[in-house]
Amino acid sequence: MRLFWCAGTCDALGSQMSGLVLPLLLLSLGRTPAEVGAVAGVCAAATLLLGPFAAVPADRGARKKVMVGAALVSAAAMTGVALAVRSGTVPMAVLIGAVLVERSATSCYEAASLGTVALVCPPAEHRRVLSRLQAGERAALVLGPALGGLLFQAGRWLPFLADALSYVVAAGCIRALRTELSPPREQRPPAGPRRNWRAAAAEAGAGVALIRREPLLRLALGWLSAVNGLLAALYYTTVFALQDQGRGAAGPGLVLALAGAAGLAGALLAPRLAGRRSPTRVLVAVSWLMLPPAAALAAARDAWQFGLLFGLLCLLTPLATVALQARIIQVIPPGLQARTGTVLATASGAAAALAPALAGLAADRVGPGTTLVGCAVLLAAVALHATWAAPALTRGTGEEPA
């Protein structure tokens, strides 16, 4: 797991460096918040269709090959972005095209990586291992914005070059793994020929059928999608609010650094705080605890205030996600891990893809403060739904009451 952890952490570190400065680069080129949000949304939405198809060969036993190839393609795309920015004139079509390629390859990497935990560790270790993986991602969230901001000040192209190098390191770590990261042969989907695109779509959609049958997976699908989308909207609205105050790259960097530190603490504490409690009980508690800091964001004025409040949100969410993911891994058969996990990731990614565009449009129309209030209201609706759905799910699964 160490090499897999290293690959994921390096990938996350590079993505955080480039992800921080991409909106700032667009804003510095004269783009409006609505345009920046639309670009981020289009780049994310255009890549969501590839994940389910990349999950099919992963479930068949080609997980490592897909991950290595996708990481190298992402490295090439980010190198192209760095060269375009380094040239001084940044054609928008070239920039968006390269980011689309990188996002598409990354979606394939992420789809293939799903289910790895179930293949390399026993169920009793799932929460601990998942918390360590999330801790690596959160640590990247702490260091990435700071490094990205420093590199952006030294040269606007340097964060993108660093992201390209992180993909090279990730590919090397995955390639060095001794195991093939494959489920047992008898649990893999059949490798027969696919006659047409309909057969391929049916095979890729096997995870959807499983989610429709499993109440816990349906609840996780809705909760993860809603929370990921709202957190993305809150972050982009915070960026727009700080830009209105003329904070530059330092303000968003501070917010992400504080949020990353809090998320790191939450990920490390998740196995102990969540304990052996049922995921539905943890889900309901976290849903309600997220409301006060989300509502208080509308009254924040300084970057440190935004950072502390956003950090509280990031401290809480790992408690629910680790508990949910550990249970999800146990529910999904080994031969469907990548495809089912990709459906969950695609749904939450779709929500996160729409969120920047909607947040930018709302910020332009009614202002960042009102947009933040609207996000808090939607989080309250999520908490109400979780409270209503959890008891029914508990009765159906024999879990402890929520």
Side-chain angles (χ1 to χ4, degrees), residues 15-376:
S15 297
Q16 290 299 329
M17 285 190 287
S18 63
L20 167 72
V21 301
L22 181 60
L24 300 177
L25 175 64
L26 294 174
L27 290 171
S28 69
L29 295 174
R31 304 297 175 179
T32 66
E35 291 175 323
V36 173
V39 168
V42 168
C43 289
T47 64
L48 295 177
L49 296 177
L50 291 179
F53 292 97
V56 174
D59 278 337
R60 286 179 173 174
R63 180 173 274 105
K64 181 184 289 188
K65 294 180 180 179
V66 174
M67 294 173 68
V68 171
L72 293 177
V73 170
S74 296
M78 281 293 99
T79 301
V81 173
L83 293 176
V85 177
R86 179 70 176 83
S87 66
T89 59
V90 188
M92 187 58 63
V94 173
L95 182 61
I96 294 177
V99 173
L100 279 173
V101 171
E102 184 265 344
R103 286 287 89 203
S104 299
T106 298
S107 69
C108 294
Y109 178 95
E110 292 173 349
S113 69
L114 295 170
T116 303
V117 173
L119 298 173
V120 298
C121 70
E125 296 293 317
H126 285 172
R127 289 198 182 191
R128 184 184 65 82
V129 171
L130 288 169
S131 71
R132 296 300 184 269
L133 292 173
Q134 281 207 14
E137 295 178 359
R138 301 292 179 165
L141 188 58
V142 176
L143 297 176
L147 293 175
L150 291 175
L151 292 175
F152 189 73
Q153 296 296 330
R156 295 190 300 177
W157 58 281
L158 289 175
F160 303 103
L161 178 61
D163 193 12
L165 294 176
S166 73
Y167 282 119
V168 174
V169 173
C173 290
I174 297 300
R175 182 69 180 84
L177 287 172
R178 295 180 180 179
T179 177
E180 288 301 318
L181 305 180
S182 302
R185 186 174 298 275
E186 64 274 9
Q187 296 177 338
R188 301 178 193 175
R194 297 189 298 266
R195 295 185 180 88
N196 52 43
W197 66 270
R198 292 182 180 177
E203 188 175 3
V208 177
L210 179 62
I211 291 175
R212 293 177 62 183
R213 296 194 303 267
E214 290 290 342
L216 176 66
L217 296 181
R218 293 198 301 270
L219 176 62
L221 178 71
W223 192 88
L224 292 172
S225 300
V227 170
N228 283 351
L230 289 171
L231 286 179
L234 287 170
Y235 168 69
Y236 272 88
T237 306
T238 297
V239 171
F240 300 147
L242 292 173
Q243 287 297 306
D244 288 343
Q245 300 172 10
R247 301 287 181 173
L254 177 61
V255 171
L256 280 180
L258 291 174
L264 174 60
L268 292 174
L269 293 173
R272 179 175 298 179
L273 295 180
R276 297 297 177 182
R277 297 178 179 88
S278 70
T280 53
R281 183 174 184 175
V282 177
L283 196 70
V284 172
V286 169
S287 298
W288 287 110
L289 289 173
M290 290 174 65
L291 290 182
L297 280 171
R301 291 296 178 266
D302 296 325
W304 67 268
Q305 293 174 336
F306 282 108
L308 289 178
L309 293 172
F310 205 77
L312 286 175
L313 294 173
C314 294
L315 176 69
L316 292 168
T317 50
L319 306 181
T321 55
V322 167
L324 271 179
Q325 289 172 359
R327 181 57 182 158
I328 287 170
I329 290 174
Q330 297 173 7
V331 169
I332 302 173
L336 285 173
Q337 286 282 338
R339 283 175 288 174
T340 308
T342 299
V343 174
L344 297 172
T346 299
S348 60
L354 291 174
L358 295 177
L361 181 62
D364 275 348
R365 296 290 180 85
V366 299
T370 304
T371 303
L372 292 171
V373 172
C375 291

